[in-house]
Every structure is written in C-alpha cells, then in structure tokens.
Amino acid sequence: MSQEERALAFGALHRKGDPVVLYNIWDAGSARCVAEAGAKALATGSWSVAAAHGYGDGQKLPLPLLLETVREIVAATDLPLSVDFEGAYSVDPAQAAANVAQVIDAGGIGINFEDQMVGRGGVHPIDKQAARIRAIREMAERQGIALFVNARTDLFLQESDAARHAALMEDAIARAEAYADAGASGFFAPGLADRDLIARLCAASPLPVNVMMMPGAPDIATLAAAGVGRVSYGPFPYREMIARLRGEAENVYETR
C-alpha cells in the first residue's frame, strides 16, 4: 500500500464498539514481533521508545533519533504506523506542524498529540491546543496525507485520584469537541478507567475515543460495549518485557 492508503486504512480501523487494538511497540524488532502476532496496525509509545534508547519520557529523546526509529519501523513492516509524538516538540503551532511533517516524511501515518505542557505540568488552554491541531491538519492536507491525529488529553492522567475524574468530564468533552473542530481524528483519554465515565465520554465525543489499558481498566470486551474505538497499551508492554529481562538476568548472575 502507498502511504496514503495506509493512512486511510488506519482511520477505517477506528470503529465505535469494535475498537482497533494497538499493542504499543518501540523499535523495528518489536514492530515485526507484534505484526507477526496478527496486529492490523502499529503504534509506538513515547515512554517505551525513549527508554529503549536510554532516555526518559517527556521529549528527552532527540527528535532526529525518534525520526530514525520511525524510518526503521516503517522499513520493517508494511502495517500502518502511528507515532506517539508527545507535544510535537514545540508549543508553536507552525513549528509543531513542521515537526509532524518530518514524521510523515519518515513514513508515519498518524500521531498521538497531547495537550499537557511537557516538562511544566498542567494542560494547555483549549484554544491554544486547538490552534496547534489546526496547524498540523492544514499541513497534512497540503501533503495530501489523511494523517490520523489522535488528540490526547492529559486531564485524567495528571489526576491520580480516580474519585475526582467525574469532575473533569465536562472539560474533557469540551476538549474533544474543540479538537474535533480543529481537525483531530481521535480523542485519547489515558488514565480514565471507570467504565461509566468511559461510556459517557464515548457518547459525547464527536471523535472515536482511545482508552489505555492499565491496572484497573476494564477488559477489551467491556470497553467495546462502552463505545470505545481504540485500545492501546502505552508503556506496559515494554515494562513487562524489561521486567522479565531483568528477572532472567538476575537469575543468571545470582548463580555465579
């Protein structure tokens, strides 16, 4: 498939009540492994890609190294690839769009784009984040690519007390609506794990909702019944792999 065909195929996988499942990867080797397991599409996790290269999360991974990783993954498999692009490495709309253009040039057909103020805490005002999404969408249209912009809100991830998540719903729904108007393709709400709140968000959002599998989250069948359109696993596949590697290594060295 051409890059545009992969982009369109990826967008078509997002169906309310029949979510695309993305078991997040971090390099070409993990991409091939997940593809061979039966995945229909691939998605990186920023935490995992950074950790695999010895960096912390939060745009600490140099952009050229991230882009090289994207190129390696694209060369390793024909599946559509969405790139967790954090805050697009810039708060400026024009520069953010220029950086996303490099992801497209590297072969990516989608991005996660978050509204947190990277490295500062809190989230961007809705209008400022919408302006960045709009600039990215306009750039993608000029490139002739149906880029899947998965607009992520960090409202729930930044609130560790799940009992307070209900109070954030109005803000989350307002963001989903504004991001949709600006040209986003999906709405990602990591940290939200309550089934009823997920169903409420899915009912209100004009965009397919992405939920991250995490401890305490409902299973995929429950999420599908709630109306979710995309399920992803974030950093957890990498963390589980590293935990096993560490355990096996400890077993080896403890015997010496």
Side-chain angles (χ1 to χ4, degrees):
M1 290 189 291
S2 68
Q3 187 176 15
E4 173 63 1
E5 287 171 336
R6 290 196 301 272
L8 293 171
F10 184 70
L13 291 173
H14 294 71
R15 296 185 291 268
K16 182 176 181 178
D18 182 21
V20 58
V21 178
L22 300 171
Y23 197 74
N24 295 82
I25 58 165
W26 52 89
D27 61 9
S30 59
R32 278 187 174 171
C33 180
V34 171
E36 290 168 359
K40 296 180 179 179
L42 300 171
T44 63
S46 65
W47 193 99
S48 307
V49 175
H53 286 92
Y55 291 87
D57 198 20
Q59 297 182 169
K60 294 181 177 65
L61 179 70
L63 179 56
L65 186 50
L66 172 57
L67 295 170
E68 180 59 28
T69 301
V70 173
R71 285 190 286 269
E72 291 172 351
I73 294 171
V74 170
T77 171
D78 291 331
L79 292 179
L81 174 66
S82 179
V83 178
D84 189 347
F85 206 46
E86 302 188 83
Y89 285 74
S90 178
V91 297
D92 175 71
Q95 186 59 55
N99 291 342
V100 176
Q102 295 185 74
V103 174
I104 295 174
D105 290 343
I109 51 75
I111 59 167
N112 278 0
F113 181 49
E114 58 201 44
D115 61 11
Q116 73 159 310
M117 293 186 280
V118 179
R120 296 166 53 192
V123 294
H124 288 286
I126 293 179
D127 58 341
K128 290 188 176 180
Q129 183 65 1
R132 295 202 296 162
I133 292 171
R134 187 171 293 107
I136 291 169
R137 174 55 63 204
E138 291 172 352
M139 174 279 301
E141 289 179 347
R142 290 194 298 271
Q143 296 247 7
I145 293 292
L147 183 75
F148 195 100
V149 179
N150 199 34
R152 167 176 144 172
T153 184
D154 280 68
L155 290 171
F156 303 104
L157 205 58
Q158 291 185 2
E159 177 50 75
S160 60
D161 184 355
R164 298 180 179 178
H165 284 180
L168 301 173
M169 288 300 295
E170 288 189 12
D171 191 354
I173 292 168
R175 287 174 183 271
E177 293 172 345
Y179 299 169
D181 288 343
S185 316
F187 188 67
F188 185 19
L192 185 63
D194 180 272
R195 189 269 175 205
D196 292 339
L197 293 181
I198 291 170
R200 178 181 168 191
L201 180 59
C202 291
S205 173
L207 300 170
V209 171
N210 179 187
V211 171
M212 184 171 71
M213 294 298 288
M214 55 186 291
D219 60 24
I220 293 175
T222 301
L223 292 174
V228 169
R230 173 170 171 170
V231 175
S232 53
Y233 281 75
F236 295 104
Y238 180 85
R239 289 177 178 176
E240 291 172 4
M241 182 274 296
I242 285 294
R244 178 168 182 175
L245 178 62
R246 182 181 295 111
E248 294 296 327
E250 288 172 349
N251 289 337
V252 168
Y253 292 113
E254 284 173 358
T255 63
R256 294 183 63 84

